[in-house]
Amino acid sequence: MKMEELGKIIKRRRKVLGLTIRELANLTGTSKTTISQTERGVRNPTFEILQNIFEYLNLEMKVEVKKRKE
Amino acid sequence: MKMEELGKIIKRRRKVLGLTIRELANLTGTSKTTISQTERGVRNPTFEILQNIFEYLNLEMKVEVKKRKE
DNA sequence: AAAATATTAACAATATAATGATACAGAGTT
DNA sequence: AACTCTGTATCATTATATTGTTAATATTTT
């Protein structure tokens, strides 16, 4: 998954929950700059930042062994 | 998921593939310092670093809406 | 046992992410 | 029109992750 793709997931989820960038920034304790750039994939955020965002968007991250194509 | 937990997943997977820290560091183009500390959860790596590690361990990351407890 | 290999620790230097401030554009409202 | 809210853009500053080196400590191998 590329950062750009992840950003879209975050943005979509934020919209579903009816949050603004500012609100999400306040909730997660980051800045709106970080949220905005993360959503657009022009940032390379740290794991901590991502986990924080996931928490308030009620998202969870999973890591699995990549499946081979059938 | 906490960084510590993710680190364990990475370490376990690296062992399964029979790679050393140095080898994984070379493969991913990072340093062994970064790999070592990431595996032990004493680091807060960037998304890019994690994705790089996942790629060479044949792991993939997924983001899903957290399920409510039954 | 010694020797080789693998991992961890600690540090300075560098690179870069995060922050805060400001400004701007677009859309909607009054 | 002015006003408000939202999202984006840019910048300087701060914070911190990364790197490379060295050394020390496991762990394995012979």
Side-chain angles (χ1 to χ4, degrees), chain B residues 14 17-29 32 35:
Chain B
R14 175 173 63 79
L17 297 182
L19 293 171
T20 66
I21 285 186
R22 177 178 303 163
E23 288 170 333
L24 183 56
N26 289 340
L27 280 173
T28 56
K32 58 184 159 71
I35 300 292

Side-chain angles (χ1 to χ4, degrees), chain B residues 4-70:
Chain B
E4 194 177 324
E5 183 185 346
L6 177 55
K8 285 180 184 172
I9 293 175
I10 291 173
K11 181 165 189 170
R12 225 175 310 156
R13 180 65 183 162
R14 175 173 63 79
K15 294 287 192 185
V16 166
L17 297 182
L19 293 171
T20 66
I21 285 186
R22 177 178 303 163
E23 288 170 333
L24 183 56
N26 289 340
L27 280 173
T28 56
T30 68
S31 65
K32 58 184 159 71
T33 308
T34 298
I35 300 292
S36 172
Q37 298 193 359
T38 296
E39 285 187 350
R40 282 174 292 139
V42 299
R43 260 292 172 74
N44 177 28
T46 60
F47 177 78
E48 191 179 23
I49 295 276
L50 285 179
Q51 282 301 109
N52 241 322
I53 293 174
F54 291 168
E55 180 182 344
Y56 284 95
L57 294 182
N58 201 37
L59 293 173
E60 66 181 346
M61 167 182 162
K62 290 185 177 182
V63 180
E64 302 170 358
V65 177
K66 211 178 297 178
K67 290 182 179 52
R68 300 199 289 115
K69 292 183 177 171
E70 309 291 323

Side-chain angles (χ1 to χ4, degrees), chain A residues 9-20:
Chain A
I9 293 174
I10 291 173
K11 182 166 189 170
R12 227 175 310 159
R13 180 65 181 161
R14 175 174 63 80
K15 293 287 192 183
V16 166
L17 297 180
L19 293 170
T20 66

Side-chain angles (χ1 to χ4, degrees), chain A residues 3 7 10 33-41 43 45 50 53:
Chain A
M3 192 52 231
I10 291 173
T33 306
T34 298
I35 301 291
S36 172
Q37 298 192 357
T38 296
E39 286 187 349
R40 280 173 294 137
R43 261 291 172 75
L50 284 180
I53 292 174

Side-chain angles (χ1 to χ4, degrees), chain A residues 22-68:
Chain A
R22 176 177 303 162
E23 286 170 335
L24 183 56
N26 289 339
L27 281 172
T28 57
T30 68
S31 65
K32 59 183 158 73
T33 306
T34 298
I35 301 291
S36 172
Q37 298 192 357
T38 296
E39 286 187 349
R40 280 173 294 137
V42 298
R43 261 291 172 75
N44 178 27
T46 61
F47 178 78
E48 190 179 25
I49 294 278
L50 284 180
Q51 281 304 108
N52 239 320
I53 292 174
F54 290 168
E55 180 183 345
Y56 285 95
L57 293 183
N58 201 38
L59 292 173
E60 66 182 346
M61 169 182 161
K62 290 185 176 180
V63 179
E64 301 171 0
V65 177
K66 210 178 297 181
K67 290 181 179 53
R68 300 202 288 115

